Amino acid sequence: MLKLRPYQKELIQKTYESMANGHKRPLVVAPTGSGKTAMFAWMAEQTQAKNNNVWFLVHRVELFDQTVETFEKFNIERKSIYVGMIRRQNKDFPDPDLIVLDEAHHSTAGTWQKIINRFPDSYIIGLTATPCRLDGAPLGFVFDDLVVGPTTTDLIESGYLSEYRYFSMDIADLEDLKTRGRDYDSSDSAGRLITVCGDVVKHFKKYAAGLQAICFCASVEHSKEMARVFRENGISAEHFDGTTPKKKRKELVNKFKNKEIQILSNVELIGEGFDMPDCDCVIQLRPTKSLSLYLQQCGRALRPRENKVAIILDHVGNHTRHGLPCDPREWSLETRIKEKPKFDEKGQFIIRQCENCFAVYPATLGNCPECGSEYRPAGVEIRNLHKYELEEIRKTHIQKPLSVDEAENYQDLLAIAKQRGYKPGWAFYQAKLRGFWT
């Protein structure tokens, strides 16, 4: 029998309340690994018990298999629950009273829209970890309410997701990468990264030796080469992609789970909804502008296990665009998701990187939490801080409403001169008159 966790009960209750308040298409947001499939399998069972029909739809074969396994694991009969694929027409099953769309950030695609438009009177619940399209565009024209669950930090602190350590090593020149559409061009980034496969192996051995890892690459050629170089260095690794036959993919995943393979190298195949509890490390070798893709990839390593601390090796600077996986985020159905700012209001990095051990951590922690090294501000931070301080001084003097009699120094007189349109010589004369200078 399926037993819901406290946060899962709360999220389902919030979803019911959304529909009770007149919303027909709530979009439910919860982090990767929070158990969204299990939560809404439970909700589907409750809906079925009221003699209603439910469609639970996914867009990939792996997700279909995992969803069916979830229903079977918790002994949920599917009398009037249909688990199916988005791209199929589902004509042999009664029309749904409720449709659950897994990985609903894809819901703007044509095949999804056909399903949504076909049943305008059905309740439709979208499930996602990132309520935006892969390009950051909002989903307000598909869904009518946002139901937000716990944050990644909430789940880490309560033990439902793993603690993690984040390291970032610049191993290739990725400046001026070409773009294709709204993301980086995969062939350009792959071409630059293939030449540094050996460095990836070196850092893996240093930070994640012996751990089960998933490696996200920029292209099929890049992924194959990465797997080959790992094997050359005595680490069992295999590549697979969307063209790999289903039987072979299943075989490789099982070998990975049984620790016969240490590293699975892929291009986006192991991402959305892919249940991989034995993954301890994620290797990021695909630069992306997509927050959704970034969080999905990081989330592969955060499935909890006793005493586990996940390792994320970011070789492409994704954290500089998106922050850390547990950073708080303001989700919206109306506004586009923007890249995380690099600097705070004073021009200092919000996310710091240790020069000694390459650990990445929030600036609020002060010195490096991994090796204890004292943080030394980068040149750009020093310049930014100097500009900020000068700007604050300028604002203070320009905005301060002073009379001449209230002036306490030459700077005050300069500010008054500027406010009144006087020449600087007036301030100089007034300063001498008042004895500020002798």
Side-chain angles (χ1 to χ4, degrees), residues 353-364:
Q353 182 173 1
C354 178
E355 294 181 354
N356 180 52
C357 72
F358 303 109
V360 176
Y361 59 94
T364 53

Side-chain angles (χ1 to χ4, degrees), residues 272-307:
E272 299 167 336
F274 204 103
D275 187 14
M276 190 64 75
D278 295 310
C279 171
D280 296 316
C281 173
V282 161
I283 306 170
Q284 292 191 347
L285 293 175
R286 186 216 162 141
T288 180
K289 294 183 177 182
S290 169
L291 172 63
S292 179
L293 183 60
Y294 168 70
L295 291 179
Q296 290 284 354
Q297 292 182 356
C298 290
R300 295 307 101 209
L302 299 184
R303 304 279 180 167
R305 195 177 62 249
E306 189 175 359
N307 299 322

